[in-house]
Every structure is written in C-alpha cells, then in structure tokens.
C-alpha cells in the first residue's frame, strides 16, 4: 500500500495556496448561505392586504351586489429632513489666507456638521465651492447655506464619495 504525502502533478482538484484564496472562498460560501436563508430577498416582505369579507348572494335576487372595497391612494413619501450631524465634511484652504480652513471648519462644526478634517488644497479652483457625491446633494445645499457658499459642484477625483468637500478660495472670508 502506497501512502500519498502531497499532491502529485497529475491529480485534479482545487489547491488553495494562499490565505486570500481561502478567505475569498469562505466569503462566497457565507454569502450563498445568507442568500438561501433569506429566500433570496433583500427587502422587507410585504404584508398581504386584508381580504374583503365574503358576501353571500341568494340565487333568487340577482340584483344584489357585493360591496365594493374602498380604494385608497398611496400617500406620497415624506422627505426625510437633512441631518447635519450624520454627514462628514472636509474643509480645504485654496486661498493662501492662513488659518481659513481651520476657522471655517470650526464654524461648520458649530453649526452641527461632522467635520473630519481640514488642510490646504493644491490646484486651481475658480471660486469657493461645496463638492458633493450625488446622494449628498441636499446636504451640500444646506452646508453651502450655513457657510455662505453658493457654488455647488459634484465631487471630482481625488475627493471621497462619502462626504462633502469644501474648498475655500480668496472670495471667501
């Protein structure tokens, strides 16, 4: 009887040679198990509408009808209020005015924004601007109003997609 210590080149099968490959396979297996456990749905199940009570109609009176259920229109969704505290903000100085980013960051923080950093911005920005990822457009409007900045633009690289970015120029004081 021959004992096999390692794989022979002619053997077939999966050889996971790195911990990353093992973790990847484990993640896929867990994701599949979660998908099966939830029935493949990622949203809340809807409750069925209450059934209308059955109305018996005698055969001798063909003119009687079952009551028609009332039709209700769906209510429009209310917009959730813009929250300052749940939004990250970074403030950058592109003006050459010493301390402008720090003082503006303190002003934003005093208004309730979650300021996570301030620094200098290198490059050319034409006017003070609040940059925003698309999902934070309403927050950008409010931050601009709080700071007196009317110029709003979608985020650009290398800005992060989870926060608002304020870049201050000489027009801001």
């Amino acid at each position: 009887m021959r004992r096999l210590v390692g794989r022979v080149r002619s053997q077939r099968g999966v050889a996971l040679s790195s911990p990353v490959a093992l973790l990847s396979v484990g993640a896929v297996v867990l994701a599949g198990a979660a998908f099966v456990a939830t029935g493949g749905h990622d949203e809340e199940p809807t409750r069925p509408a209450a059934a209308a009570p059955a109305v018996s109609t005698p055969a001798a009176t063909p003119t009687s009808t079952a009551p028609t259920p009332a039709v209700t229109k769906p209510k429009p969704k209310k917009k959730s209020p813009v929250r300052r505290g749940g939004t990250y903000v970074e403030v950058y100085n592109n003006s050459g005015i010493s301390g402008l980013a720090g003082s503006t960051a303190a002003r934003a923080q005093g208004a309730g924004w979650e300021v996570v950093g301030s620094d200098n911005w290198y490059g050319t920005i034409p006017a003070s601007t609040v940059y925003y990822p698309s999902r934070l457009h309403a927050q950008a409007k409010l931050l601009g109003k709080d700071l007196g900045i009317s110029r709003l633009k979608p985020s650009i690289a290398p800005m992060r997609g989870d926060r608002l970015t304020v870049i201050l120029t000489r027009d801001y004081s």
Side-chain angles (χ1 to χ4, degrees):
M1 185 181 268
R2 199 171 118 198
R3 187 182 230 185
L4 294 177
V5 176
R7 286 191 176 262
V8 178
R9 187 173 191 126
S10 65
Q11 287 181 321
R12 294 182 187 237
V14 177
L16 300 175
S17 59
S18 75
V20 173
L22 277 172
L23 287 174
S24 297
V25 170
V28 170
V29 170
L30 285 175
F35 182 79
V36 170
T38 61
H41 299 290
D42 60 351
E43 59 189 33
E44 289 185 42
T46 57
R47 285 186 275 158
V55 177
S56 61
T57 56
T61 57
T63 57
S64 66
T65 60
T68 57
V71 176
T72 58
K73 293 182 181 179
K75 293 181 182 179
K77 288 186 177 181
K78 292 181 182 178
K79 287 187 175 183
S80 59
V82 176
R83 292 184 27 202
R84 290 175 175 95
T87 305
Y88 296 138
V89 176
E90 290 181 337
V91 182
Y92 292 96
N93 186 354
N94 188 236
S95 71
I97 301 169
S98 182
L100 185 60
S103 63
T104 305
R107 183 176 169 192
Q109 197 166 22
W113 296 96
E114 194 166 334
V115 177
V116 294
S118 64
D119 204 347
N120 291 319
W121 184 269
Y122 299 100
T124 304
I125 304 297
S128 295
T129 309
V130 176
Y131 291 91
Y132 60 91
S134 60
R135 69 181 182 83
L136 295 177
H137 187 245
Q139 288 87 337
K141 286 181 182 179
L142 184 58
L143 177 60
K145 191 174 190 178
D146 287 348
L147 297 178
I149 299 173
S150 59
R151 187 171 190 256
L152 306 175
K153 296 287 181 182
S155 296
I156 57 174
M159 296 172 189
R160 296 187 49 187
D162 65 341
R163 62 196 60 195
L164 301 175
T165 302
V166 177
I167 301 180
L168 305 168
T169 60
R170 286 199 175 271
D171 67 346
Y172 187 82
S173 52

